[in-house]
Amino acid sequence: MYILKLFVFLLFSYIYSYCGQLDFIKFENTDKNNAILKAEKKNKLYEYVIKYKFEKFGYTNQDNPNTNFFDTSNEDKQSVIFTNSIYLNDNIWIDLNINYENSLQKKVDGSLGLLSQNRVYKQQSLVKLYFKPNSILTTNLIFKGINKDSDIDINTNRYRNNILNDEKEISFNTYLDLDFIDIYTKFYQTHSNYNKLYKDIDSDYNKNKNNLTRGIELTFEKNFFNSYLISTTFFASTNEYDYLYEKTNSNKKHRIDSLSKGVEFFIEKNFYDNLILSTTARFSSDEIKNSSKKDLIGNRVENKANNQYDIDLEYRLKKFKFFSKLTHISSRYANEKNSEKLNAYTIATLGSSFYTKLKNSNLKFDFNIRNIFNKKYFIDSDTQGENRNYFLNMIMKF
C-alpha cells in the first residue's frame, strides 16, 4: 500500500513538472471510507486524466474470526488510473490507458469458523493507435495487456492458492462508412497464460493453461430510416492450448487445437422515441481439430453452446427507464470427452433506472431483479449460475 502511495505522489509530481500548470486537482465522491483524487490537463496536442482511488468495504473488526459472524467480508482497495490522448494531427492520434490495482480482502465464514484472505495485484494497459486517411475510413491498432496475481490463504492450512493470470492481445480494426452500408473488420491474436499452484493437506498441485487464439470478424451494418438497425457478423477463430492439471512432480502436458466459426444476427427496432426492441441470435460450431489425446479429435469443445438468443425491451418515460431481458443458452458438453452434457437454460431480468439532480449534480438509481424465475442452471462444468437476486445501485456525478 505504501509503495502505491509513493508511486502516486511521484506520478503526480512528474506530470505537474513536465506539463506545467494542471487544469485542476480535486477530490470526488469523498466520504469516510472512499476517496478519489483526480487531476486533469487538456490542450490541442494532448489531454490526460489521472485518478487515485481508495476504497474500503465491509466490517471493521476483521482480524479475529468470530463464529457469530456469517459470510462477512472486508476489503481495502487502491488503484491508479491514467488515461492519455496525444494528437499528432487530424488524421493520427494515440490513446493510452494504464490501470494499477492493489487490494486485500478478508472473509469470515461463521459456519466453519474460517478466516481467509485474498491479496490481488492487477495491472492493465491499453494502447490504441488511430489512423483516419479520409472521411469514410478509420483504422486502429490496439495493444492490450492484463497481469493479475492473486494469493489466497486459508487459516486452517488446508490449502493456499497462488494464481498468476497474464493476457496479451493485439488487434487491427477498420471501419468503412459508406452511404449504403457500414463495414467493420477485426483481425486479432490473444495469448493468455493461467497458472495456479495450490497446496492441499497431503500434496501440492499445479494447474497451467497456455492459450493462443487467432481470429477474424467481418460485420455488415445498416440503419434504415433511423428506425431499424440490422447487423450481421461472420466470425472464425482457431484456438490452441496446452494444459497441465497434475501433481507438481508431473510435467506431462496435453494439447488441444480447435476451430470455431459462425454467424451472429442483430436487429433493433425503435418504436416512436421511447420504446426499443432488440434481438440477437448467435449460431456457432466449435470442434476439436487436433489433440495429443487422439480420441478427442472431432469432439465438441467443452462449455461452448451451439446457439444463443437474447431479446431486450427498453421503455423510457421522462426520467425513468424500464427494461427486460430474456436469454436462452442451448445445451453444451461439460468436458472434451463429450461424455456429459449441460442442460439448456433460459433466464430473465427486469430492471429500472431513475435519473434526477441533487444540488446540480446528476443522480442515477438502478434497480434490477436478475433470474426472476429462480432458474437453476450451470454456466460451465463447475460453475453454477446465480439464483434470483436483487441489485440496487446509486451513481452521483459531480
Side-chain angles (χ1 to χ4, degrees), residues 128-281:
K128 297 182 180 181
L129 173 61
Y130 289 88
F131 175 57
K132 188 174 183 179
N134 51 56
S135 60
I136 65 172
L137 177 63
T138 302
T139 67
N140 63 52
L141 187 63
I142 300 177
F143 301 90
K144 183 189 300 183
I146 300 175
N147 174 266
K148 183 177 181 180
D149 301 341
S150 179
D151 184 359
I152 304 173
D153 185 18
I154 304 297
N155 71 336
T156 60
N157 295 320
R158 284 198 311 176
Y159 66 84
R160 182 188 186 100
N161 292 338
N162 293 286
I163 302 173
L164 305 176
N165 198 351
D166 293 314
E167 183 174 316
K168 297 178 179 63
E169 179 178 309
I170 180 173
S171 64
F172 177 71
N173 307 267
T174 67
Y175 167 53
L176 194 60
D177 182 10
L178 303 177
D179 291 336
F180 60 94
I181 199 169
D182 296 331
I183 302 176
Y184 301 84
T185 63
K186 179 180 181 180
F187 303 86
Y188 65 93
Q189 175 178 295
T190 302
H191 178 254
S192 62
N193 185 41
Y194 176 87
N195 194 302
K196 176 179 179 180
L197 173 65
Y198 58 100
K199 298 178 179 293
D200 212 332
I201 295 177
D202 56 354
S203 60
D204 295 349
Y205 284 80
N206 185 43
K207 181 178 182 180
N208 176 263
K209 184 176 180 181
N210 198 332
N211 193 90
L212 179 64
T213 301
R214 297 186 178 95
I216 180 175
E217 297 177 2
L218 177 62
T219 300
F220 300 94
E221 187 175 285
K222 178 64 176 177
N223 195 330
F224 295 92
F225 314 112
N226 292 322
S227 178
Y228 285 96
L229 177 64
I230 300 178
S231 174
T232 303
T233 299
F234 300 91
F235 58 88
S237 65
T238 59
N239 189 31
E240 307 167 3
Y241 69 88
D242 51 54
Y243 65 95
L244 179 149
Y245 194 13
E246 307 282 351
K247 292 185 178 181
T248 52
N249 58 6
S250 172
N251 294 318
K252 184 178 180 181
K253 287 191 175 184
H254 307 289
R255 183 174 180 83
I256 290 180
D257 300 341
S258 63
L259 173 65
S260 299
K261 55 185 178 181
V263 61
E264 181 176 292
F265 301 101
F266 174 80
I267 301 176
E268 181 180 277
K269 167 63 177 173
N270 292 330
F271 297 91
Y272 307 105
D273 295 328
N274 55 357
L275 183 62
I276 301 175
L277 175 65
S278 62
T279 180
T280 303

Side-chain angles (χ1 to χ4, degrees), residues 20 40 43 49 88 119 133 140 175 179 195 200 275 306 360 374:
E40 183 174 315
N43 62 30
V49 177
L88 303 181
R119 183 177 293 278
N140 63 52
Y175 167 53
D179 291 336
N195 194 302
D200 212 332
L275 183 62
N306 274 339
N360 298 321
N374 204 24

Side-chain angles (χ1 to χ4, degrees), residues 305 307-311 326-331 344-347:
N307 308 321
Q308 178 176 339
Y309 310 97
D310 295 282
I311 300 177
L326 197 67
T327 298
H328 174 80
I329 305 293
S330 65
S331 61
Y345 66 87
T346 302
I347 56 174

Side-chain angles (χ1 to χ4, degrees), residues 284-395:
S284 67
S285 172
D286 308 273
E287 183 179 340
I288 297 175
K289 291 297 185 180
N290 196 12
S291 174
S292 57
K293 295 183 176 181
K294 301 302 181 183
D295 59 320
L296 300 182
I297 297 177
N299 287 359
R300 294 294 310 277
V301 178
E302 67 173 333
N303 301 324
K304 292 286 188 177
N306 274 339
N307 308 321
Q308 178 176 339
Y309 310 97
D310 295 282
I311 300 177
D312 295 84
L313 185 64
E314 179 182 305
Y315 179 71
R316 294 180 178 270
L317 180 63
K318 295 183 179 180
K319 296 182 179 182
F320 290 90
K321 181 179 75 172
F322 305 93
F323 64 89
S324 62
K325 182 172 184 177
L326 197 67
T327 298
H328 174 80
I329 305 293
S330 65
S331 61
R332 299 132 289 143
Y333 286 104
N335 51 41
E336 276 103 355
K337 294 181 179 180
N338 291 182
S339 59
E340 181 182 350
K341 261 193 171 183
L342 299 174
N343 294 328
Y345 66 87
T346 302
I347 56 174
T349 298
L350 289 175
S352 63
S353 298
F354 173 68
Y355 304 84
T356 187
K357 282 184 176 293
L358 181 63
K359 294 183 179 180
N360 298 321
S361 298
N362 294 321
L363 187 63
K364 177 185 176 184
F365 293 92
D366 295 310
F367 177 68
N368 300 340
I369 307 176
R370 300 169 180 168
N371 193 7
I372 58 177
F373 299 114
N374 204 24
K375 176 73 174 180
K376 294 183 179 179
Y377 64 97
F378 279 85
I379 299 174
D380 53 43
S381 55
D382 57 2
T383 305
Q384 187 172 350
E386 294 182 341
N387 297 327
R388 182 192 301 117
N389 59 91
Y390 304 87
F391 175 78
L392 178 63
N393 185 43
M394 184 188 74
I395 300 175

Side-chain angles (χ1 to χ4, degrees), residues 50-100:
I50 180 171
K51 294 181 181 180
Y52 169 63
K53 300 175 66 177
F54 173 79
E55 302 167 273
K56 188 178 182 67
F57 310 96
Y59 64 95
T60 56
N61 54 337
Q62 69 273 14
D63 295 326
N64 299 313
N66 188 326
T67 55
N68 294 324
F69 291 159
F70 286 89
D71 300 326
T72 54
S73 64
N74 137 281
E75 181 177 13
D76 290 324
K77 180 187 294 185
Q78 297 186 72
S79 59
V80 177
I81 303 167
F82 177 67
T83 60
N84 184 33
S85 295
I86 303 174
Y87 307 98
L88 303 181
N89 54 50
D90 292 338
N91 299 324
I92 302 176
W93 66 95
I94 300 173
D95 288 344
L96 173 63
N97 299 273
I98 300 174
N99 184 8
Y100 177 84

